[in-house]
Amino acid sequence: MRWPGGLGLALAALVCAGCAGAGESSPAGVAKPSKQLEPLEASAQPAPPPPAKPKKSVVPPAPAHGPAYLVAEVRRPLHTRFGTVAPRSQFGQPVWVPVVRHHADRGRLLVPLGKRGRLVAADLGSFPLEWRKIRVVVDLSANRMVVRDGRRRLGAFPIGKGSPSTPTPTGRFFVTDRLRFGQGSPYAPFAVGLSAHVSQLPASWLGGDQVAIHFGAMGAVSHGCIHAGLTAIQMLDRRAALGSLVIVKA
């Protein structure tokens, strides 16, 4: 988450009685004012102020063809009861997070804290906002990954996944990093870092607990990462921007 002035002062008018001429005037003529006094009118009240213009929404217009979802950029430390979200990832990249729900200028952000992320309320006026349409759905039981642009399916690809001792976590995650690797790296040519983290890792493993989608072998063979073929990795390189949703189903 989570958008009279008073009356004017009446002026008294001074009216001078008619003066006698050279000749005699009757007492009634002297007493009669030279001009009839009009009753004083209350000064007009100032016009009421124009109605306040509705506050301009901080949420940009949604794309014409959906479905789409908002993402917010964290440009300064975001302090929450679960911890602080830094404005840069561990690899120095900008942090874009999905807006899971929003009403007016209030929303709930899915932030990269804990093993599976946390939902925190926020004032959306404090963040740059963009719309995303790319959604990646990983089905571990079917060993398949589907990439969608709104309602349009861009492709379905076979995947590898975590071994029984180091299973791939399930849940709603998002892209935190877009990383390129040189030839010879096991992650080459490109990997998508996610907000997911593995809970179980062997003591000999030194590669960290962050889950990524990268090129690799099929089957239940990884330490929790999702493996995909080169065609799928190239599509993610072209399409999966920071903050893009990745849903991992059991």
Side-chain angles (χ1 to χ4, degrees), residues 89 93-96 112 174-178 192-195 210 242-243:
S89 73
Q93 300 198 359
V95 174
W96 286 85
F174 60 94
V175 175
T176 58
D177 300 280
R178 292 171 44 85
V192 171
L194 305 181
S195 58
Q210 183 178 6
L242 295 173

Side-chain angles (χ1 to χ4, degrees), residues 78-183:
L78 176 61
H79 303 288
T80 77
R81 64 191 181 96
F82 306 108
T84 300
V85 181
R88 293 278 168 173
S89 73
Q90 63 173 324
F91 297 104
Q93 300 198 359
V95 174
W96 286 85
V97 300
V99 180
V100 176
R101 291 189 294 274
H102 70 92
H103 177 71
D105 295 345
R106 299 292 300 176
R108 292 179 70 80
L109 310 180
L110 177 60
V111 297
L113 294 174
K115 296 290 186 182
R116 298 170 185 266
R118 297 284 192 174
L119 288 176
V120 298
D123 177 4
L124 299 182
S126 304
F127 305 89
L129 301 172
E130 292 182 3
W131 289 95
R132 296 273 191 274
K133 294 174 64 179
I134 295 297
R135 190 183 305 261
V136 180
V137 179
V138 177
D139 189 332
L140 297 177
S141 61
N143 298 317
R144 185 177 68 167
M145 176 175 70
V146 175
V147 182
R148 292 187 177 276
D149 182 351
R151 292 187 175 87
R152 185 163 61 101
R153 191 169 84 162
L154 300 179
F157 310 94
I159 60 159
K161 60 188 178 184
S163 69
S165 61
T166 55
T168 300
T170 58
R172 178 172 50 186
F173 308 113
F174 60 94
V175 175
T176 58
D177 300 280
R178 292 171 44 85
L179 304 169
R180 300 191 184 282
F181 297 91
Q183 191 173 7

